Every structure is written in structure tokens, then in C-alpha cells.
Amino acid sequence: MAEVITMPRLSDTMTEGKVAKWHKKVGDKVKEGDILAEIETDKAVQDFESEVEGTLLYIGVEEGSAAAVDLVLAIIGNEGEDISGLTGGAAAPAAGDSEEKKSEEESKTENESTSVEQTTAEVPAGVEVITMPRLSDTMTEGKVAKWHKNVGDTVKEGDLLAEIETDKAVQDFESEFNGILLKQGVEEGGAAPVDTVLAIIGPEGTDVSAVGATKAASSLSEKPAEQKPEAKTEEKSVAQTSSSSSTDRVAISPLAKKIAQEKGVDIHSVQGSGENGRIVKKDVENYQPSAKETASAPAASPAAAQVALSFVQGEDTETPNSQVRNIIAKRLAESKFSAPHYYLMVEINMDKAIDARKEINSLPDTKISFNDMIIKATAIALKKHPQVNSSWAGDQIIHRGNINVGVAVAIPDGLVVPVLKNTDQMSYTQISAAVKDMAGRAKSKGLKANEMEGSTFSISNLGMFGIETFTSIINQPNSAILSVGAIIEKPIVKNGQIVVGNIMKLSLACDHRVVDGATGAQFLQTLKTYLESPLTLLL
């Protein structure tokens, strides 16, 4: 008997799914565990496996199309079985009908701008069309921060093609194919939606002018033909300026190269210690420039030039927004205007925490910060108050089974929130090492997308800047965020006497849909107890 397979709910916030790719066609045999399709949710693209065996008789959602959760995705049954009653009169298409339908779809999609599959018939033999990858679960478009290969260059599998800037980080994108780079679908500095043409690789001399023409990003119209001479001139000048610092002929790891760019180190002067003389991270970090290089260093400081802004009286200047900045603006606006924020504030006496930190740091090879102590205390407090470790999901509240604390880190482009997974199970030293590592890599754009996903609660600390108190915007889908101020010496009353105390102010922003006032207050009380009496963390 035929089985109706509906669009699955693959994430807690998913309301509809998009079929990114079908792995089976109508008429194909399907076994239990076979991958039927790749389903794109609101968070990621996931493989969807069949739980039944039989023949794929009907596909309810076309490749590239979306459907609401629980609508018919496919029907599997015995070959030749009548399924008209399950599809509302639409029987499984015969081979001839399938061909007719296919030709209809092809003619229909000629006027649309969607995915690469529409131009499959135009792709010459041996040519591979590479689309803008989805490098994070919330990514809708990517920006080409830098091309590492130019049109006409030979590309090998594993070669770095480009650096793609997502809504969360800049990531290296490697080629999965061998051949010649025949076309760049997105100019350096330009952006394009996910799944649109990024590049085309194939045999030298292949005409690919028609490939992807119908689906190219709207910014790539007829203009590129007019801009070609200018682009060539640009390429020439780039080639000239980078001839002395090109990394194409230098064996260097992507991370080492990024660190070198941040530090303004000429990689041609660095001696590699890796396999076959490859330059690795430690080579760049341990590199000491000669006196001659030091003298000329100020002339080559790309990192400083990127963030340096100078004030000119009477002259307005503009800085194009990075992809990260645009997404930060969008997400914070969505959070502020969709979640009803309210704020709770409390003062913490940090005298005992200061003594505890001194004692811990007196141990060999141990150095923790107050921020590490706050993160640890927060994680344990969240175990006592799971409602604060929850998320709003429309018609339900999701109580998270893990405590993953996101720590806000300032970068030149704005703010990123690397996540400490299972924070409650980490020691002070583990938290300290993880925060230092992630903060360092965040500033050098070395964080991976999955390291900034899955937070259940967030902390923002501006105490190191001397800020006594402030409020933050909730990092969705969290229901609360803790703002940490500076530790300030103040007169306090203790046992009827006025003495000097070390006071720190905490502010908790809550989503009133999830966290009621009393719940937020009880959470802060528990956190206050842990910080004012650090030994209670052991209970």
C-alpha cells in the first residue's frame, strides 16, 4: 500500500521547507534509509531519508520549490499502483507525461531567475557551475571579499577560489573541481543570493557565455560587457601590485595567511616549518622582522588601513556596509521590535570574587578573568532557572536541553557572538581558554559559522571600558541577555559601618513572552549569590 510522505519539521522553528535537491526520481526504487531529498529549512540544508521501501510514485514538491510543513512531499508504493486518491486525482506521471511536464517546466522557467538546474541544458560537457554556497544556517546571500583565482587561471581540487563574507564571518571557499576558471559570476566586493552562479570551471576555451545567463544576479546585467576593459585594467593593476606579495606561489595555510594579512607580514620573508616548507600559523606568530623590514612596515599595514577613519572638517564620507554589518542591523532591529524587552538590574559585591580569583590565579599555569567567573556562574544559574534558558517559537516555548552561552565580541565590522557549548560542564580554565581562542579568531575573521550558532543565553561585557551599567538587545532566539559593567570601588554599609566595597552592576534584558519579571528576578538573585559567595558554586 502506498505511503504518503509529508514535508518534515526538521527544526524547532521551521514552518516550511524547500526541496534543494531530489536524490530520487519518479519510478526509482527506494530503500529504507535512502536519501530522498535535501530539504532546506530556516536554519540549514539537511538530508531527508526514506523510512519506507518501494517505488517513488509521486513528487509533490518540485526541486527548488517550497511547501508548508505536513504537506505532501512524496508518495512511495508498489510499481504501477493507483495513487489518484492520494494526490487529489493526480496520478503518477507516465514516462511520456513526464517528458511533456519537463519541457513545460523548462519553458516556464526560461523567464524566471532561480537556480542552476534551470540552465543545465545549456552547460557544455565537462563544465561545472559553482553556486554561491550556504555557509551558515541564516545566510541568504554572500559577498565575495576576495577572489584568489582570476578568469583563465588553472584551478585544482582543494585550491582556494575565493573568500566569502557571510552574515557571520569571512570564510575560505575551496574548489571541488579541476579545470580553468572560465567565468566569475560575482565581482570582488559584490554580493549575490545563495544558489546563484558564483563561478564556472571547465576545459580551456569552452564558451560559457550562455551558462547561467538567465539566473545571474540582478546586478549582473548587460553592463559587464561594457565594463570589461575597465575590469581588465583593474586586474592588471592588481596583478602588478600583488606580484611581489602574491600567495599563489607560496605554500601557506589559509589561517596563517589571514594572520599575516592582519599583522602586515610579508609572507615571502617567513620561513615555513610545515610539510614541504609550508608556512603555518606558528611561523607567522613567531616571525620577527629584520630592521630593514621594520623600517618599511608602516607603508604596508592593510589591517590598520581597513579600520582607520580620519575626520576632515566640512567633508562627509561614506563607508559601504559589510555583509556582517547589514545582518547585525537587520537582526537587532527584528529582535528589538518583535520581542517585548524589559530590564532588571542588580548590584553585586565582588569582594569575595576578587579574593577567589587571586587564589585561583596563584595556581601554576592558571589565569582566569572576572568575565570567566561570570560566565561560569551564569551557566550554573541557568540550570536552576531553565525558563531563562528557553526560546519563543510562536505557539510554544522551547526549553533548551543544553546550556550554550554566547559571549559578545567586538570586531571592526560590528559584533559577533561565539558560543561556548555546554558551558555548565566547563571548568574556569576551559572557559578562559575557549573565550581567548574564540575572541582572537573572531577579530582575525577566523571563526567558523558553526561556532556562532546554537546559543541559549548571551553575555555582553563592557566593564573593561569603564562602563558602569548598560542594557543590551536580546540575541535571538535567546530570551535573555546579561550586560556586565565595570567593578567600581564605592562606599557601602557593612555591619552598620561605612566601608569601601567593590561593586559591579548587572543588567538583564528579558523577553517578556518567555521570562516573567519574577522569573528574571529569581535568576539574578541566584547569580548574585554565586558571585558574592563563589564557594556556593561547588554545592
Side-chain angles (χ1 to χ4, degrees), residues 386-446:
Q387 188 71 14
V388 183
N389 197 55
S390 304
S391 300
W392 179 260
D395 58 349
Q396 60 186 351
I397 293 173
I398 301 166
H399 306 287
R400 303 296 180 182
N402 294 314
I403 294 172
N404 302 330
V405 177
V407 182
V409 175
I411 60 171
D413 284 334
L415 193 75
V416 293
V417 187
V419 180
L420 303 177
K421 303 289 172 68
N422 299 310
T423 320
D424 55 311
Q425 299 171 27
M426 300 173 74
S427 66
Y428 281 135
T429 51
Q430 287 173 325
I431 291 171
S432 177
V435 170
K436 284 175 186 170
D437 171 56
M438 288 195 185
R441 287 190 291 121
K443 289 169 184 173
S444 63
K445 297 182 178 179

Side-chain angles (χ1 to χ4, degrees), residues 180-200:
I180 303 296
L181 182 57
L182 303 173
K183 181 178 179 179
Q184 291 176 345
V186 185
E187 295 174 4
E188 192 167 291
V194 167
D195 294 334
T196 53
V197 175
L198 175 65
I200 300 176

Side-chain angles (χ1 to χ4, degrees), residues 20-36:
K21 184 178 180 182
W22 278 104
H23 285 264
K24 297 288 183 182
K25 298 174 184 172
V26 171
D28 285 357
K29 296 290 183 187
V30 179
K31 294 179 181 177
E32 187 177 348
D34 282 357
I35 295 176
L36 268 184

Side-chain angles (χ1 to χ4, degrees), residues 25 73 92 110 137 200 240 243 277 374 383 418 451 467 501:
K25 298 174 184 172
L73 177 65
E110 273 178 13
D137 54 3
I200 300 176
Q240 286 168 359
S243 60
I374 293 163
K383 286 184 80 170
E451 293 178 303
I467 303 299

Side-chain angles (χ1 to χ4, degrees), residues 47 115 120 159 166 196 226 272 275 300-301 310 382 481 519 528 534:
D47 291 338
S115 64
T120 305
D159 279 359
T166 74
T196 53
E226 299 167 15
E275 189 177 355
S301 180
S310 56
L382 287 170
I481 182 170
T519 305
K528 178 182 171 79

Side-chain angles (χ1 to χ4, degrees), residues 18 20 40 64 112-119 128-135 139-144 147 161-162 164-165 173 183-187 190-201 211-220 323:
K18 179 181 176 183
E40 183 181 325
E112 294 177 3
S113 169
T114 53
S115 64
V116 178
E117 281 74 8
Q118 296 170 355
T119 58
E128 296 288 348
V129 179
I130 299 169
T131 58
M132 178 64 73
R134 186 182 299 278
L135 298 173
M139 177 179 170
T140 55
E141 70 171 13
K143 180 179 178 182
V144 177
W147 278 105
L161 261 188
I164 307 294
E165 185 178 328
F173 180 63
K183 181 178 179 179
Q184 291 176 345
V186 185
E187 295 174 4
V194 167
D195 294 334
T196 53
V197 175
L198 175 65
I200 300 176
I201 293 174
V211 178
T214 58
K215 72 162 295 281
S218 56
S219 59
L220 301 173
Q323 190 75 351

Side-chain angles (χ1 to χ4, degrees), residues 15 50 74 88 97 133 161 214 287 303 399 405 454 466 472 493:
T15 56
S50 174
D97 297 337
L161 261 188
T214 58
Y287 174 70
H399 306 287
V405 177
S472 302
V493 177

Side-chain angles (χ1 to χ4, degrees), residues 336-476:
K336 185 66 177 175
F337 297 115
S338 66
H341 287 54
Y342 74 92
Y343 307 94
L344 300 170
M345 297 182 190
V346 68
E347 286 191 351
I348 311 287
N349 187 330
M350 293 292 285
D351 287 346
K352 289 184 179 178
I354 290 170
D355 293 338
R357 178 173 174 258
K358 282 180 184 175
E359 197 168 337
I360 292 169
N361 285 346
S362 67
L363 299 171
D365 303 318
T366 305
K367 188 171 178 63
I368 67 166
S369 66
F370 289 114
N371 196 49
D372 301 329
M373 298 179 76
I374 293 163
I375 292 170
K376 177 67 175 177
T378 299
I380 302 303
L382 287 170
K383 286 184 80 170
K384 301 253 184 200
H385 304 276
Q387 188 71 14
V388 183
N389 197 55
S390 304
S391 300
W392 179 260
D395 58 349
Q396 60 186 351
I397 293 173
I398 301 166
H399 306 287
R400 303 296 180 182
N402 294 314
I403 294 172
N404 302 330
V405 177
V407 182
V409 175
I411 60 171
D413 284 334
L415 193 75
V416 293
V417 187
V419 180
L420 303 177
K421 303 289 172 68
N422 299 310
T423 320
D424 55 311
Q425 299 171 27
M426 300 173 74
S427 66
Y428 281 135
T429 51
Q430 287 173 325
I431 291 171
S432 177
V435 170
K436 284 175 186 170
D437 171 56
M438 288 195 185
R441 287 190 291 121
K443 289 169 184 173
S444 63
K445 297 182 178 179
L447 275 180
K448 295 176 183 175
N450 63 2
E451 293 178 303
M452 293 180 279
E453 295 170 358
S455 69
T456 60
F457 185 91
S458 301
I459 294 176
S460 180
N461 190 340
L462 293 179
M464 64 283 290
F465 298 109
I467 303 299
E468 286 191 49
T469 184
F470 66 103
T471 57
S472 302
I473 298 173
I474 296 167
N475 179 35
Q476 296 289 342

